[in-house]
Amino acid sequence: MTDPSASLSFFARFWLAWLCFWRCLVSREFAQAVLPTSRAYDAGQLKELPSGDTQTPPPVKTPAVQA
């Protein structure tokens, strides 16, 4: 994280770690989704991962004005 405004407090990080710990134990799918990111972080290649924000939001439909 290079953006200081995006940093989390100690308690926010602690809560996130607690939630991720239990979710990894309970959900195989969650653990499988987290594993590549964890490995990339350990290898120093975190910035090379796709951001996951590749979907474009659906277009907003405006109601037709009837005269």
Side-chain angles (χ1 to χ4, degrees):
M1 281 185 166
T2 57
D3 184 11
S5 65
S7 66
L8 298 172
S9 69
F10 169 78
F11 292 108
R13 292 190 319 264
F14 181 80
W15 184 248
L16 180 62
W18 181 258
L19 292 176
C20 288
F21 170 76
W22 285 107
R23 195 158 178 200
C24 282
L25 286 179
V26 174
S27 172
R28 178 181 300 229
E29 292 82 18
F30 183 80
Q32 288 174 334
V34 171
L35 185 60
T37 304
S38 176
R39 288 182 177 164
Y41 179 81
D42 292 341
Q45 301 170 341
L46 192 59
K47 291 186 179 191
E48 296 174 13
L49 289 178
S51 67
D53 191 22
T54 58
Q55 296 179 351
T56 57
V60 178
K61 295 182 181 179
T62 57
V65 178
Q66 296 178 356

